[in-house]
Amino acid sequence: MVIELSLRQGSVADALTVLALFDESVQWLVQRGLSGQWGEEAFSARADTRALVHRTLRDNDVLVAEHAREVVGVLAVGASPPYVPGSPVPELYVVLLLSARRLHGNRIGARLLEQTVEIAQERSVQMIRVDCWAGAPGLVRFYETQGFRRQGLFDLQGWRGQILGKTL
């Protein structure tokens, strides 16, 4: 059975909780030999990633998913980042999608992505885009199972990213 989620607006006040989710994810990825996504060091231990999380929460629309009063996922949507080519149609960009790895299989990420469709429709945009590490075929497949299609690759200082889009 899939766990119950409640959603609320997020803000910079959630930064420590989001960093803890990142730390959990980094540990999970490293254990699976996927350190190429975010490295091996905890996000909370690095000044650059702490600042990135703060900016992401400050500059985007954020939804926080909770289960039993515990934060188990976060979604941030907004404008596309400068490292990806612009979209030819109005879009909503998934800047951050993160879920508690210990609750893998509860569709937390998928349910948060479903919220992007509602937000995009409210804003009358025609596309939702997201990027992820191209070196994780399972992650790319996850987005494809959610209706996204590959739109291209990019290189960000040696980090190879996959851009995916979903037309509404």
Side-chain angles (χ1 to χ4, degrees):
M1 182 170 176
V2 176
I3 62 170
E4 246 184 78
L5 292 181
S6 61
L7 299 176
R8 65 170 173 81
Q9 292 299 122
S11 71
V12 294
D14 294 299
L16 291 177
T17 305
V18 173
L19 283 166
L21 279 177
F22 267 115
D23 290 350
E24 178 185 341
S25 293
V26 167
Q27 183 179 20
W28 187 87
L29 289 163
V30 168
Q31 290 171 349
R32 284 153 184 79
L34 298 169
S35 61
Q37 180 161 339
W38 290 328
E40 296 184 5
E41 188 177 355
F43 266 42
S44 61
R46 299 171 26 203
D48 62 331
T49 50
R50 288 192 309 267
L52 175 63
V53 166
H54 186 271
R55 276 193 314 276
T56 299
L57 297 175
R58 180 194 68 210
D59 297 345
N60 297 282
D61 294 317
V62 179
L63 280 179
V64 171
E66 295 180 331
H67 171 68
R69 297 187 184 148
E70 178 186 6
V71 174
V72 296
V74 63
L75 168 74
V77 295
S80 63
Y83 56 83
V84 298
S87 172
V89 297
E91 72 172 352
L92 183 65
Y93 206 91
V94 177
V95 178
L96 172 63
L97 177 65
L98 188 60
S99 63
R101 300 316 322 151
R102 68 191 175 284
L103 296 173
H104 178 76
N106 282 282
R107 299 189 67 249
I108 296 167
R111 290 191 273 172
L112 284 168
L113 276 179
E114 289 167 3
Q115 295 299 308
T116 64
V117 173
E118 289 182 29
I119 296 167
Q121 289 171 338
E122 288 170 5
R123 296 181 185 184
S124 300
V125 299
Q126 300 168 2
M127 180 171 293
I128 301 169
R129 288 196 306 163
V130 65
D131 67 75
C132 66
W133 181 41
L139 183 55
V140 173
R141 261 191 318 278
F142 163 75
Y143 285 113
E144 290 175 330
T145 65
Q146 304 306 309
F148 288 81
R149 296 190 189 279
R150 296 176 198 205
Q151 292 189 330
L153 297 167
F154 65 92
D155 186 277
L156 186 62
Q157 301 172 346
W159 189 87
R160 218 164 119 88
Q162 175 71 60
I163 303 167
L164 299 107
K166 181 177 185 171
T167 304
L168 301 177

